[in-house]
Amino acid sequence: MATKLSFHSIFLVLFISLLMQANIAQSKALTMGVESIEYYPIYAQREGKYSGYARDLFDAFAKKYGHTISYKALPIKRLFGEFLNGRLDLKFPDNVNWASDLKASKNVIYSGNILKYIDGVLVLPQNLKIGKSHLKALGIVRGFTPWDYLGDIEAKTVKVIENNSLNGLVKMMQSKRINGVYFNISVARYFLKHTLFQENVIVFDDTLPHSRDAYQLSTLKHPDIINQLNLFLKEEAIFISDLKNKYEVNL
């Protein structure tokens, strides 16, 4: 009996050891390319550290599956280039509809929806719902593309003016150098509430053209990571909902 128990014990130890080794083998050190812009509370570089909703979500995902994620912040255009040239494991944010011409020859794999968003135009309260004809000069953060207004820009009925920050764009609105700001609505509202402490200094005009979509994670190299993340998004729905509430991004 003692010998039999000893054999079972040894077998159990070996089995557990093999499982642990398998888990270690599946763990990966990953480099995620992210945008080096101030887009808080979704993401931002704060004191040299990637911060916000996205960081908390991806850190929780990595912890659950034993991965290590290094966040590499890059300017938007360079980020696309680094990713498509295979120098990054993952890219966030991304979307199947973004830069589709550049991705045409690449097998880009996308996750499910990480976070829904609205990109639209914020105007001065007195100009709310007076129509697109008022929109002559549109402010955007440098490097962004106002997809909903590309036809108007090409037709030269709308002029685009860039700035490095949302704060700069708000000041341009107040001085009437621009008629609207094209931006992520959740980020703009958070900034107005928690930084400027003037929630209604500019307001979202939902009667103007705007986009509703979702941010995704993308990869060229790791379909297994995308599968794990999709599972995480389903299994951790309550955690993710609480995280959205915490960062005020729950549209």
Side-chain angles (χ1 to χ4, degrees):
M1 177 67 77
T3 304
K4 191 175 182 180
L5 286 173
S6 177
F7 173 78
H8 286 165
S9 298
I10 293 171
F11 177 80
L12 182 61
V13 169
L14 288 172
F15 180 71
I16 293 172
S17 177
L18 287 171
L19 283 178
M20 292 177 65
Q21 288 178 26
N23 288 334
I24 291 170
Q26 291 172 1
S27 300
K28 294 184 178 181
L30 301 162
T31 299
M32 183 184 296
V34 297
E35 295 176 343
S36 60
I37 61 171
E38 179 67 28
Y39 221 53
Y40 202 84
I42 302 176
Y43 53 86
Q45 292 294 115
R46 295 285 174 93
E47 298 180 354
K49 180 182 178 182
Y50 188 60
S51 305
Y53 167 84
R55 175 66 187 261
D56 283 7
L57 185 143
F58 290 126
D59 278 0
F61 163 71
K63 182 178 180 180
K64 181 170 183 176
Y65 290 97
H67 303 306
T68 302
I69 298 178
S70 299
Y71 301 92
K72 186 174 183 179
L74 296 166
I76 294 172
K77 290 182 179 179
R78 185 181 166 195
L79 175 58
F80 262 108
E82 292 285 295
F83 174 69
L84 293 177
N85 287 328
R87 289 191 280 269
L88 299 168
D89 296 302
L90 307 163
K91 178 183 181 294
F92 181 83
D94 209 338
N95 183 282
V96 67
N97 297 313
W98 295 355
S100 54
D101 53 336
L102 297 176
K103 299 173 182 175
S105 62
K106 305 289 185 178
N107 183 28
V108 182
I109 303 165
Y110 299 90
S111 74
N113 294 341
I114 303 295
L115 182 68
K116 292 180 180 179
Y117 70 84
I118 301 173
D119 285 347
V121 175
L122 297 105
V123 300
L124 295 172
Q126 61 267 31
N127 294 330
L128 186 65
K129 300 185 178 181
I130 66 173
K132 195 170 72 168
S133 60
H134 173 75
L135 200 62
K136 303 297 183 183
L138 183 65
I140 62 170
V141 170
R142 197 174 308 279
F144 274 54
T145 301
W147 301 105
D148 300 296
Y149 295 87
L150 292 183
D152 301 287
I153 294 165
E154 186 176 343
K156 297 184 178 180
T157 58
V158 173
K159 178 182 179 181
V160 169
I161 298 177
E162 295 183 319
N163 195 278
N164 289 326
S165 70
L166 180 56
N167 189 38
L169 291 171
V170 171
K171 290 178 180 179
M172 291 173 74
M173 278 280 290
Q174 291 174 318
S175 64
K176 299 183 179 180
R177 290 178 58 195
I178 56 177
N179 311 115
V181 173
Y182 186 85
F183 209 69
N184 178 287
I185 301 307
S186 293
V187 175
R189 286 172 173 167
Y190 192 94
F191 174 80
L192 296 172
K193 179 180 178 180
H194 296 282
T195 301
L196 285 189
F197 305 106
Q198 300 179 67
E199 292 186 54
N200 296 312
V201 65
I202 57 175
V203 292
F204 171 46
D205 190 339
D206 63 2
T207 66
L208 294 174
H210 58 279
S211 296
R212 292 176 179 267
D213 211 323
Y215 299 126
Q216 298 166 293
L217 183 73
S218 61
T219 186
L220 293 170
K221 304 176 180 180
H222 302 285
D224 55 326
I225 296 298
I226 297 300
N227 290 336
Q228 283 183 344
L229 179 61
N230 288 339
L231 184 61
F232 175 84
L233 294 174
K234 292 179 181 179
E235 292 182 342
E236 303 297 335
I238 295 175
F239 162 76
I240 293 170
S241 179
D242 290 343
L243 199 62
K244 289 175 181 177
N245 291 331
K246 172 186 174 181
Y247 283 103
E248 301 177 27
V249 294
N250 203 349
L251 292 177

